[in-house]
Amino acid sequence: MMELQQHDIQIAKQIAGDWARHMAEMPSEVRPLLQQVLNEHQDDLRKRYQTYITNDQGIAAIVNTDEARSGFTDIFMHWVGELLALENISTEAYCERQFEVGAMMERVGLPAYALSRAMRKLKLWFVHYLSLQPLPTQLFADCMRAIINLVDYSVEIREVSYQTSVATHARMDEAYRLQALGQNLATERERQRALLMEWGHNVFTAFHQGDTTGRLPRLWKSDFGLWVNHKADLLFEGASEMEQIVAAINRVDSDLIPGLALSAEAERAVISEWMRRIQEEISCIKFSLSAMFDARLEAENGRDPLTQLLNRRFLPSLLAREIALQKRRSDRGFCIVMLDLDHFKNVNDQHGHQCGDTVLRHAAEVIVSTARPSDFAFRYGGEEFVLVLVDCTAAHAEEVAQRIRQRVQEMVIPLPTGDQIQVTASLGVAPFSDDLDYELLLQRVDQALYLAKQKGRNRVEIAHTATVLVAAEKASGSWLQA
């Protein structure tokens, strides 16, 4: 299940619990009636849904081809059928499916209202056809209650997932933007420490020059305070140190600065005490600031510390951006290359992790030197790497992958013992193929890599467009399967 804030998890669990109780209480004759309505009128529902996604401007801007609209309609019909067949599914599995739908909608870029509006139309559609059945009043009411609850519980959980995914990607996009601007967190850390110390110096200087209440500079209004308020939270959201820094700034501005200002005519010992307390808070802020930067320096700097390739946390933002660019300009598309070093565990087991790290650094150098400056290289995890080739055809991507494979095979890595080691790599290539969801693109390239491993390793395999269907079928619980 995707990562959520504790508050969101509790909300989702409560909704899922309500769903489970409703499922247990549903009269046994209700579900067959709903399934009968769907079976008898599914062609009408399909037509209405396809008309809806065609005419709605917000959805049509994303699902903008006949093939995509037909595919989305198939997905919707499959989901409705599953909704009426959920008899033995656990509460946790139900929750997982709805979360995946919400997250996928956000990744694709569908507007927030898209799901709720479609579900409102779906409920009215069922009510219309139920009203044409010669049903007893109580059974009709039970059927209406069932379809409303079945749909609404799903929507509520998906909205939690959707909004959480929106917030998460907004933070990642901003972090990616800052990284793209060349921000260096080590430099930023020292800069902010210097600004904090400069503020302290300015306060004491102003005080000794005779400035009093209302004129002593407040920490929240300093360059350091503005950075904390407007930028630090983007980089360090959720860090306990942020709470400590904010609390210390509040104490300084609301208590210590006014107290110091009012002590201008007091005895020297009183003034010294106010200054000591301010210095103490500055020291606490410096300590928390350093701890916060140190804990996140490598990750937020956007680079893998071992290979200096981009951190994989920025990959979703990059892929979403590249997909969006394909809709606005006439690039040749883009391709993803995924590389995995063959039998890498044996390298670590036989020669040690230090040797393994050396191999990873050499492989990263091969990838970077083979790619163009405009391409993006990521360490995906362990011995896996991802290369995003922009404005690139499938044929060119295959050539690049083959060159990387050959150069990795030719690497001769010296060991401290005087021996040498050589490795090989398997690679998968996936061209962009009007994919709406970058997760499916990643699934395709992962499957191509798996195929390269299956066929003997040290080879390149291409994920053809047909692989999309296989990926969709295996995307358990997602909108493309729900």
Side-chain angles (χ1 to χ4, degrees):
M1 188 177 294
M2 61 180 292
E3 292 185 4
L4 297 169
Q5 298 296 326
Q6 189 62 34
H7 176 66
D8 294 329
I9 293 175
Q10 293 303 319
I11 292 176
K13 285 183 176 179
Q14 180 180 347
I15 298 170
D18 292 341
W19 169 82
R21 285 189 292 274
H22 170 72
M23 292 292 292
E25 297 168 358
M26 183 185 298
S28 59
E29 62 267 39
V30 167
R31 190 185 305 278
L33 280 171
L34 296 176
Q35 290 174 324
Q36 178 185 338
V37 168
L38 178 62
N39 292 337
E40 292 178 354
H41 305 286
Q42 57 181 319
D43 290 341
D44 177 65
L45 180 59
R46 174 184 293 274
K47 179 180 177 181
R48 289 176 182 271
Y49 183 78
Q50 191 152 357
T51 300
Y52 162 61
I53 62 176
T54 301
N55 295 338
D56 185 282
Q57 292 184 351
I59 300 174
I62 306 299
V63 189
N64 54 6
T65 66
D66 290 339
E67 183 179 0
R69 284 188 286 269
S70 178
F72 257 64
T73 303
D74 289 341
I75 293 161
F76 172 77
M77 295 299 296
H78 181 70
W79 174 79
V80 176
E82 276 200 338
L83 186 68
L84 300 182
L86 297 177
E87 296 178 337
N88 300 315
I89 186 172
S90 69
T91 302
E92 182 178 355
Y94 170 77
C95 223
E96 285 258 8
R97 292 190 183 191
Q98 312 317 314
F99 274 130
E100 286 295 331
V101 172
M104 184 273 177
M105 286 182 59
E106 191 279 330
R107 290 196 305 267
V108 167
L110 290 174
Y113 67 81
L115 177 64
S116 57
R117 182 176 291 178
M119 296 304 99
R120 174 174 57 83
K121 292 177 178 293
L122 175 63
K123 288 182 288 187
L124 290 174
W125 182 86
F126 268 103
V127 170
H128 168 70
Y129 280 106
L130 285 169
S131 68
L132 301 179
Q133 301 282 335
L135 302 177
T137 302
Q138 184 58 51
L139 182 55
F140 177 76
D142 288 339
C143 288
M144 289 182 60
R145 186 180 301 110
I147 195 61
I148 289 171
N149 282 325
L150 280 172
V151 171
D152 285 356
Y153 286 138
S154 299
V155 172
E156 288 175 27
I157 297 177
R158 292 175 187 192
E159 287 178 346
V160 173
S161 173
Y162 183 97
Q163 294 303 328
T164 300
S165 188
V166 167
T168 299
H169 282 108
R171 292 192 298 270
M172 290 175 62
D173 287 344
E174 181 62 16
Y176 177 73
R177 186 186 69 82
L178 293 175
Q179 165 63 22
L181 291 174
Q183 184 190 40
N184 185 302
L185 285 192
T187 302
E188 187 68 16
R189 175 183 57 191
E190 298 309 312
R191 179 172 177 237
Q192 295 307 321
R193 285 168 59 93
L195 288 174
L196 177 62
M197 298 304 294
E198 180 183 0
W199 171 83
H201 174 76
N202 291 341
V203 167
F204 297 141
T205 299
F207 177 80
H208 287 302
Q209 289 176 348
D211 288 345
T212 56
T213 305
R215 300 186 62 185
L216 292 179
R218 295 314 197 253
L219 186 48
W220 273 125
K221 294 299 182 181
S222 69
D223 286 338
F224 174 77
L226 292 173
W227 176 83
V228 169
N229 197 30
H230 293 278
K231 280 193 173 181
D233 195 48
L234 289 170
L235 296 171
F236 305 108
E237 183 180 18
S240 58
E241 295 90 351
M242 272 296 298
E243 298 177 2
Q244 297 164 8
I245 291 171
V246 169
I249 295 176
N250 286 335
R251 287 193 297 269
V252 167
D253 278 2
S254 63
D255 181 20
L256 301 185
I257 293 300
L260 176 63
L262 292 172
S263 71
E265 305 299 328
E267 295 181 358
R268 187 169 196 159
V270 175
I271 295 174
S272 295
E273 176 60 18
W274 283 110
M275 288 187 172
R276 184 196 66 77
R277 291 177 62 187
I278 291 174
Q279 288 281 20
E280 189 175 82
E281 292 291 0
I282 290 175
S283 296
C284 290
I285 293 173
K286 284 172 57 181
F287 179 82
S288 296
L289 186 70
S290 294
M292 187 167 64
F293 269 101
D294 290 345
R296 293 158 179 81
L297 184 60
E298 291 296 347
E300 294 297 344
N301 193 39
R303 298 283 173 181
D304 170 61
L306 178 64
T307 63
Q308 291 303 301
L309 299 184
L310 289 170
N311 192 300
R312 69 174 287 176
R313 72 187 299 269
F314 295 131
L315 183 58
S317 295
L318 174 66
L319 293 179
R321 179 177 179 274
E322 286 298 321
I323 289 175
L325 287 175
Q326 302 309 311
K327 300 179 182 298
R328 299 203 302 265
R329 63 191 195 195
S330 57
D331 283 359
R332 293 178 295 170
F334 68 96
C335 298
I336 299 181
V337 177
M338 183 175 285
L339 176 150
D340 183 271
L341 296 176
D342 298 327
H343 304 298
F344 185 74
K345 184 178 183 298
N346 293 342
V347 175
N348 283 331
D349 291 344
Q350 296 175 16
H351 303 285
H353 288 278
Q354 185 175 358
C355 174
D357 290 348
T358 302
V359 172
L360 291 173
R361 282 193 291 267
H362 276 71
E365 290 171 3
V366 166
I367 293 170
V368 171
S369 62
T370 307
R372 301 165 299 180
S374 57
D375 299 324
F376 299 86
F378 296 81
R379 185 179 179 192
Y380 197 63
E383 65 272 23
E384 283 190 331
F385 302 88
V386 165
L387 180 62
V388 180
L389 301 170
V390 301
D391 194 17
C392 176
T393 64
H396 179 67
E398 184 175 8
E399 292 176 8
V400 172
Q402 289 289 4
R403 286 203 301 271
I404 292 174
R405 184 198 62 77
Q406 184 66 33
R407 293 185 62 185
V408 169
Q409 180 179 288
E410 294 170 353
M411 290 191 312
V412 178
I413 302 167
L415 301 179
T417 60
D419 296 329
Q420 297 176 332
I421 185 174
Q422 288 184 277
V423 297
T424 60
S426 301
L427 298 94
V429 176
F432 170 76
S433 181
D434 292 326
D435 304 270
L436 294 175
D437 184 358
Y438 59 78
E439 286 286 356
L440 286 181
L441 189 55
L442 288 172
Q443 288 176 21
R444 289 170 53 212
V445 75
D446 185 66
Q447 289 175 353
L449 174 59
Y450 179 75
L451 187 60
K453 292 283 189 182
Q454 271 193 326
K455 288 187 174 182
R457 296 181 169 83
N458 192 23
R459 61 184 294 122
V460 174
E461 288 293 331
I462 310 299
H464 298 289
T465 306
T467 315
V468 175
L469 299 178
V470 179
E473 291 173 0
K474 294 186 177 180
S476 176
S478 72
W479 170 252
L480 293 173
Q481 185 69 4

